[in-house]
């Protein structure tokens, strides 16, 4: 190396990030691609999330970042309707509380709580 020249700058050492910034492009036959899509749909996950979960299980690896980005929680239509009613009840509670109608506010919050608790417990059982 020529001593009159400055040495090239060293590249920074890559750090491990806690995001899913890396992409692995893989080629699949149409049949395998269709099977992945079918399995992912059946499990309620995106294709990528399903493949990540399969890879984690096959390798016996625990990765909270990869696992957390996995299956989406699917909300059943009846749960969606119940949660919408809770939002209305909480809105009523807020208005009643602002107007000083404490009993109405408490009743509306209680109606919401009676719906929310079973719905949330149902989510926990499904995951």
């Amino acid at each position: 190396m020529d001593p009159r020249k400055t040495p090239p700058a060293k590249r920074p050492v890559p750090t491990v990030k806690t995001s899913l910034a890396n992409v692995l492009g893989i080629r699949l036959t149409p049949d395998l691609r269709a099977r992945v899509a079918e399995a992912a749909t059946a499990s309620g996950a995106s294709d990528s999330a399903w493949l990540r979960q399969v890879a984690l299980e096959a390798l016996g690896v625990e990765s909270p970042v990869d696992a957390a980005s996995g299956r989406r929680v699917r909300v059943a239509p009846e749960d969606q309707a119940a949660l919408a009613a809770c939002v209305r009840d909480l809105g009523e509670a807020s208005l009643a509380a602002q107007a000083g109608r404490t009993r109405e506010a408490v009743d509306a919050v209680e109606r919401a709580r009676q719906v929310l608790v079973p719905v949330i417990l149902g989510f926990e059982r499904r995951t």
Side-chain angles (χ1 to χ4, degrees), residues 32-72:
L32 182 56
R33 178 71 183 88
R35 289 174 184 235
V36 167
E38 185 179 321
T41 300
S43 72
S46 69
D47 298 356
S48 294
W50 185 83
L51 286 168
R52 276 194 307 274
Q53 191 60 43
V54 169
L56 288 169
E57 290 169 5
L59 297 171
V61 174
E62 289 188 27
S63 170
V65 174
D66 288 303
S69 68
R71 296 185 174 110
R72 287 182 232 151

Side-chain angles (χ1 to χ4, degrees), residues 80-95:
Q80 290 177 13
L83 294 171
C86 287
V87 170
R88 285 190 297 276
D89 282 336
L90 293 172
E92 288 177 23
S94 179
L95 293 173

Side-chain angles (χ1 to χ4, degrees), residues 7-8 10 19 31 37-38 53 57 73 85 105 113 120-121:
K10 290 186 178 181
S19 68
D31 180 57
E38 185 179 321
Q53 191 60 43
E57 290 169 5
V73 174
R113 188 192 68 75
I120 291 169
L121 290 176

Side-chain angles (χ1 to χ4, degrees), residues 3 9-11 13 25 30 38 45 63-64 68 81-82 84 88 95 104-106 114 116 118:
K10 290 186 178 181
R11 289 186 176 170
V13 176
E38 185 179 321
S63 170
R88 285 190 297 276
L95 293 173
E104 288 178 39
V106 169
Q114 288 177 1
L116 285 172

